[in-house]
Amino acid sequence: MSGSKANGTVQVNEEGQGSTDLPMLEGSIGPKVIDIRKLYAQTGHFTYDPGFTSTASCDSAITYIDGDEGILMHRGYKIEELASQSDFMEVCFLLLKGELPDAEQKEKFTHDITYHTMLHEQLAQLFRGFRRDAHPMAIMVGVVGALSAFYHDSTDINDPHQRMIASYRLIAKMPTIAAMAYKYSIGQPFIYPNNELSYAENFLHMTFSVPAENYKMSPTVARAMDRIFILHADHEQNASTSTVRLAGSSGANPFACIAAGIACLWGPAHGGANEAVLTMLEEIGSVENVQKYIDKAKDKSDPFRLMGFGHRVYKNYDPRATVMQQTCHEVLDELGLKDEPMLKLAMELEKIALEDPYFVEKKLFPNVDFYSGIILKALGFPTSMFTVLFAVARTVGWVAQWNEMMEDPGQKIGRPRQLYTGHAERPFVPLVKR
Ligand code: SDX
């Protein structure tokens, strides 16, 4: 357990069974942990934590979140500073290697990523096997999983050099795959990457250019795209990152692990929420209907939830939502859409919700997904592409966390246990007697 140190013990007392001392561990900042690795051997008991609300699955030095204070840091740098003063290539380097790059390191890293953006030409055939109306996330899961059929020279997970090549390939190729999924869905030809462009510019180019003319790049839009990538890059041990770690713990190749992460991110409770927010806003339709939907969200008998609100960790404002809201206003102003009805509706919904005792008591604030969809819609993306963009950005976080796990000498396969509530042993009943 690199980076943690012992800090006292806690006692577990079981009536009639005596007590067991469990060691406490502490990291650099944040909650201490109770080390239960020997609990079952010492007591014959498991802990019980469905949804992992109080469980640390690993130790990590990549991202720190303080949900009560609304703090998010990557390698000690606050997300607000990274979003306003850095760019996505620097953040990728920081997440992967632990430090911000100097000018020479940044130039080489950006070059290395840029020169991995093309896909093996045979992969274009894979897209043509999908229906044109396939959800782009379904295509992305399939194509990313298939990368392991093409890049055999970077699937040896025990070779640090191959792990880094696979990591670079994934970061570099995700925008290309995402743009191809979009082009395929609208029947336009695939657009190749252009090495003269930045990461965000290249993605916009591959998505919105056509052979007849290049996309007219707006520096504000490109900067907003880059910032949206930064805001989604990593987020501690969220569901999709935990999925990537669990898949990787079995020794699966990195492409298969990232495909698993993409599949998990797709859920509306997780990365699929940005698409669900737009769908919800379209369903609400006007400010007059806002209270009706807030009442639905509060009604326990109604499964409806206010999408883009609430978070397992943040019991304060999601710092990414604050930056996203600012970016939303910048982009819509630039595009002459500041009176965009969706934005006005979202702001009214946020205002009413944050004044409602239900949301205040349950500490349900807007999360990263609440405003991102409005920006992405303004940039010209269909709602079906919103979670795809989240996956493009989160790939660097997934591969950074996967590498951290693979470099941990204590790494072992993840295998949780259960509280069994089924039948005790009973004799088999032959069919004739059933
Ligand atoms: C992301 O983990 C990460 O870091 C994720 C992420 C990342 O970067 O990787 O930040 C990205 O996934 C952001 C979250 C996007 N999801 C949504 O916006 C979907 C809507 N939100 C929720 O479904 C919910 O808030 C979760 C899933 C985000 C969090 O759920 P929890 O932590 O399991 O909380 P819970 O479901 O136990 O809710 C606590 C209470 C419940 O009421 P009680 O049973 O206690 O009476 O709050 C209520 C819930 O009913 N509640 C909501 C609500 N979210 C929680 N009520 C109405 N609307 C909501 N959105």
Side-chain angles (χ1 to χ4, degrees), residues 18 23 27 79 84 109 121 145 181 225 262-263 313 358 369 415:
I79 191 64
S84 58
F109 180 76
E121 193 64 14
M225 191 78 259
I262 296 169
V313 178
Y358 173 92
D369 292 306
R415 205 287 186 205

Side-chain angles (χ1 to χ4, degrees), residues 235 238 268-271 273 297 300 305-312 320 358-359 362 364 367-369 390 394:
H235 211 240
N238 58 85
H270 189 15
K300 282 286 162 246
R305 284 194 166 184
L306 220 46
M307 302 316 280
F309 267 77
H311 198 279
R312 169 62 58 76
R320 301 168 297 175
Y358 173 92
F359 289 87
K362 293 184 184 297
L364 302 174
N367 57 49
V368 68
D369 292 306
F390 196 148
R394 185 53 58 89

